[in-house]
Amino acid sequence: MLKTPRGLLAFVLLALLMAGCAPPGIVERIPDDDPGYLLEQARQQPPEQAALSRLEAADILARQGQRTQALKVATEIDDTRLSEDYRLQWAMLLSELGEELDEPWAVIQAGQLIDEVDLPRDAGLLLRTRMGRALAQVDEHRAAAVMLLHVQAQTEREALNDAIWASLSRLDRSELASLREGADELTLGWLRLANLVRESDGDIERLFARLETWRERHSQHPAARRVPAELLALRELRGKEVRHIAVFLPGSGPLTSVAEPIRNGLRTHHLNSVERSGGVRLTFLDTSQGNIDALYEEARNLGAQVVIGPLDKEQVSELESRDRVPLPTLALNYGAGATSQAEGLFQYGLSAEDEARQVARRGREDGHRSSAMLVPDNEWGARVGRAFEREWRDRDGTITNVVAYDPRGSATESTRRVLAGGRPDMLFLLALPSYARQVPPTLDYYNAEDLPIYATSHLYEGRSQPLLDHDLDEVYFLDIPWQIPDAAVGGVEALPYLDSYRELQESADPATFRLMAMGVDAYELARRLPQFQLLPESELFGATGALTPGSDGRIQRRLPWARFEDGVPRPVLSTEIRRSEPLR
């Protein structure tokens, strides 16, 4: 953080005064000016003078220790009214305050100056560093990596290694590949490091053998001189690789239809991964026979190191109420509790609520402020609708109308009611395919054809049906990578675990294919449970999305976006949605 005895603005003004070019009237007021008076004056001044008065007030507030108020004033300044020198002062002050007060969007606001003004070298490097860190905070990891790599190329600062690695390690294969074009040797070295870690597939011995080879070949690289702390921490896992997994799934009862495709995905991927995973052993135990503690005891006696399952929500709820579980466990459902604090328990599933929350985040990031909701009039619709609404309101969005429809009826009347509460910026749609296909044509009929529709994965059956899905054209939705391979950046060849995908996809029923993909990712997550316990920020790019454990062990999924065009899902980059203008 930049510090001077009198603050940034006073320092620069002093330099201008010594050079004989300080703006008249501003320097002599600095020792005793009242920021409140300056802000009051700004309301009556022409735009250029008002912006300068507000900048001076923000600087004085910051020097007086009123940093939060200073940040508020600085973010509201119309910097385009300032001269180039004062725009630089504004950007440096705003980015400093934003970083100190953990307000990344303020830093990003200041960082827009990078592309608009010819910055002095040191100021430009400092602003880019702050911008890179802020972009990482809002999960724009590719942009963050680009920004920080630019700074390191100019400075060779090893202190940036951890931040660079934190962003690079959260990029998928296609995003990493996109950084290769025109890259300098510094960036290429980083990309080779990221790829070797990704290709190690959680095998710690293989990882460190490859890391040593990489360091020998890139001995002058900043990451060779100072290996990122997150990678070094993995040394603690040497000798603790998972070699035996117990799987708790029911062999009979009402959950069998769900358990069977998960079991199929587990077994298929296990056979395809024997060589890569070093011969991991799978043992299946029937949860429909005996209680959960007896199953844990049997698993421990058999030598299992981790557990996948149970699937039953009541059993998961019982586990999450404990202080700890007998073995590190990846449950295949989410408990009923608001949070889980059981040590060693992770929870993973294809949660519709997770998708609804991601839709809400995407909609707000795209600039939409108001949303209508169209959800089924049942317990599922109410539950998923609440998840969307809470996330939306937490981000200061407004809800114009909530319409709960009869899934067995026509969409005509319910879609008309969507518009009854006023014209929203977007529509959140939760619907199965047969109902979802009726919504866009009905909106067209009511002259709302430009209303953006954001939906969960449930509107897509998982197979190409252009004639049927033509009515869904221009609808945005998210789904697991395996379910929309043609919409994956890089196509089918870029999919994770391609051999398992191809084998399972050949005979898959679209209704159960997502559960097979869940089984594949459950296998990979289970192998990494020790890593997740050591490094909670770790991420797995799997068949069902980018998977990261939350603070309570619940696995969070980040899914790719697609949009129907001519009845077929097409890839949508995040920036493409963000550029669309919200309706007024």
Side-chain angles (χ1 to χ4, degrees):
M1 183 173 66
L2 186 64
K3 293 183 180 293
T4 67
R6 296 296 308 275
L8 175 65
L9 183 60
F11 178 80
V12 176
L13 289 174
L14 179 59
L16 291 171
L17 180 63
M18 294 175 65
C21 56
I26 190 170
V27 174
E28 43 276 62
R29 295 200 308 266
I30 283 179
D32 55 1
D33 264 341
D34 175 9
Y37 174 77
L38 284 168
L39 294 173
E40 183 62 34
Q41 286 291 100
R43 296 189 181 95
Q44 307 167 33
Q45 293 171 334
E48 288 75 11
Q49 185 62 39
L52 192 58
S53 295
R54 291 188 176 100
L55 175 58
E56 186 179 352
D59 181 71
I60 294 169
L61 286 165
R63 288 187 284 111
Q64 290 177 347
Q66 300 181 62
R67 314 285 280 182
T68 302
Q69 181 64 19
L71 177 65
K72 183 177 186 300
V73 172
T75 56
E76 295 173 353
I77 292 172
D78 182 358
D79 65 290
T80 62
R81 299 290 186 173
L82 297 169
S83 67
E84 189 168 299
D85 286 342
Y86 283 128
R87 286 190 81 191
L88 172 60
Q89 296 164 29
W90 164 82
M92 300 307 289
L93 177 63
L94 179 58
S95 63
E96 177 185 358
L97 291 168
E99 187 168 73
E100 178 185 336
L101 297 175
D102 196 26
E103 293 288 348
W105 286 110
V107 181
I108 293 169
Q109 179 185 352
Q112 303 307 311
L113 203 68
I114 291 171
D115 296 324
E116 300 174 11
V117 172
D118 187 14
L119 301 174
R121 182 180 186 277
D122 289 348
L125 291 173
L126 179 56
L127 189 55
R128 285 179 184 274
T129 302
R130 291 173 177 168
M131 180 76 155
R133 291 170 178 157
L135 286 166
Q137 282 185 269
V138 298
D139 294 328
E140 292 289 348
H141 289 292
R142 186 186 183 282
V146 169
M147 198 69 63
L148 295 173
L149 286 167
H150 176 89
V151 175
Q152 190 171 66
Q154 300 293 316
T155 63
E156 295 191 356
R157 287 175 54 198
E158 297 173 12
L160 293 174
N161 284 1
D162 287 345
I164 291 172
W165 179 252
S167 285
L168 286 178
S169 64
R170 283 155 183 79
L171 301 183
D172 63 27
R173 185 186 305 177
S174 61
E175 289 171 318
L176 287 172
S178 71
L179 295 176
R180 185 173 295 278
E181 185 175 352
D184 55 21
E185 278 303 313
L186 173 80
T187 299
L188 289 174
W190 276 111
L191 295 178
R192 292 177 190 124
L193 177 61
N195 283 324
L196 79 83
V197 173
R198 192 70 49 82
E199 292 165 4
S200 297
D201 285 317
D203 187 319
I204 303 302
E205 291 299 333
R206 180 190 304 175
L207 167 61
F208 279 97
R210 292 183 174 186
L211 177 59
E212 288 308 311
T213 301
W214 179 89
R215 293 182 71 187
E216 291 172 5
R217 293 175 179 172
H218 302 80
S219 58
Q220 298 307 309
H221 195 280
R225 299 194 300 266
R226 178 178 169 183
V227 177
E230 187 175 294
L231 281 179
L232 286 179
L234 292 174
R235 286 178 174 170
E236 294 185 27
L237 298 178
R238 278 182 159 170
K240 300 179 182 177
E241 289 86 353
V242 173
R243 300 299 182 197
H244 190 172
I245 302 171
V247 183
F248 293 176
L249 284 174
S252 60
L255 291 175
T256 307
S257 61
V258 177
E260 192 54 37
I262 293 175
R263 183 183 286 109
N264 190 8
L266 277 164
R267 283 176 167 156
T268 299
H269 189 58
H270 171 61
L271 292 175
N272 284 329
S273 306
V274 168
E275 181 177 349
R276 176 177 57 83
S277 61
V280 173
R281 180 183 172 191
L282 280 184
T283 299
F284 289 86
L285 300 176
D286 188 354
T287 56
S288 59
Q289 307 294 324
N291 64 51
I292 196 74
D293 287 313
L295 289 172
Y296 271 113
E297 185 65 26
E298 184 177 357
R300 193 191 295 275
N301 290 338
L302 291 170
Q305 296 161 277
V306 301
V307 168
I308 294 176
L311 178 62
D312 183 86
K313 191 177 188 70
E314 290 186 6
Q315 290 179 322
V316 179
S317 299
E318 194 276 324
L319 289 178
E320 72 177 1
S321 67
R322 302 183 181 190
D323 292 332
R324 63 183 61 84
V325 288
L327 289 170
T329 299
L330 178 72
L332 296 176
N333 206 333
Y334 297 95
T339 60
S340 169
Q341 299 301 324
E343 183 181 341
L345 177 64
F346 296 82
Q347 299 175 44
Y348 164 59
L350 305 183
S351 164
E353 291 96 315
D354 270 356
E355 294 187 23
R357 286 186 281 267
Q358 188 171 336
V359 172
R361 291 193 292 271
R362 178 81 275 155
R364 288 296 288 132
E365 288 168 7
D366 293 344
H368 303 307
R369 294 183 296 273
S370 62
S371 178
M373 297 171 55
L374 187 56
V375 299
D377 187 12
N378 53 33
E379 190 275 334
W380 178 62
R383 181 163 40 85
V384 178
R386 281 195 302 270
F388 173 85
E389 185 170 0
R390 286 171 183 167
E391 188 76 19
W392 186 259
R393 293 192 187 279
D394 284 348
R395 294 170 180 268
D396 298 321
T398 58
I399 301 294
T400 59
N401 201 4
V402 179
V403 177
Y405 63 85
D406 181 355
R408 299 164 298 181
S410 165
T412 304
E413 176 60 18
S414 60
T415 305
R416 184 195 65 78
R417 287 165 51 206
V418 161
L419 305 173
R423 186 67 170 263
D425 289 341
M426 61 167 274
L427 169 65
F428 169 60
L429 174 63
L430 177 68
L432 298 178
S434 60
Y435 194 94
R437 293 181 187 118
Q438 303 174 54
V439 174
T442 308
L443 287 174
D444 292 351
Y445 178 80
Y446 287 112
N447 299 314
E449 63 273 5
D450 294 330
L451 180 66
I453 302 174
Y454 290 65
T456 62
S457 64
H458 305 88
L459 90 170
Y460 181 50
E461 289 186 6
R463 54 186 170 183
S464 181
Q465 302 178 98
L467 293 178
L468 278 175
D469 289 335
H470 182 78
D471 284 335
L472 292 172
D473 280 358
E474 299 186 12
V475 173
Y476 295 105
F477 73 103
L478 72 179
D479 206 336
I480 68 172
W482 270 24
Q483 195 75 326
I484 47 174
D486 293 331
V489 179
V492 173
E493 296 297 325
L495 289 178
Y497 316 123
L498 186 57
D499 289 343
S500 295
Y501 165 79
R502 284 176 168 154
E503 184 172 345
L504 290 166
Q505 194 268 343
E506 283 181 3
S507 58
D509 177 349
T512 60
F513 190 54
R514 290 185 181 92
L515 292 172
M516 293 180 184
M518 181 180 166
V520 170
D521 279 354
Y523 180 88
E524 293 294 337
L525 286 167
R527 290 182 56 235
R528 289 166 174 79
L529 287 192
Q531 179 178 332
F532 286 151
Q533 289 177 302
L534 178 66
L535 298 171
E537 295 299 315
S538 297
E539 192 164 27
L540 171 68
F541 293 93
T544 62
L547 310 175
T548 310
S551 58
D552 62 353
R554 296 186 178 189
I555 302 296
Q556 300 170 354
R557 293 186 300 140
R558 190 174 77 249
L559 303 179
W561 283 90
R563 179 177 63 187
F564 281 100
E565 296 178 10
D566 297 324
V568 177
R570 303 296 185 194
V572 175
L573 300 178
S574 59
T575 52
E576 289 181 16
I577 307 180
R578 195 171 302 172
R579 283 198 297 267
S580 64
E581 289 295 326
L583 298 177
R584 296 294 189 263

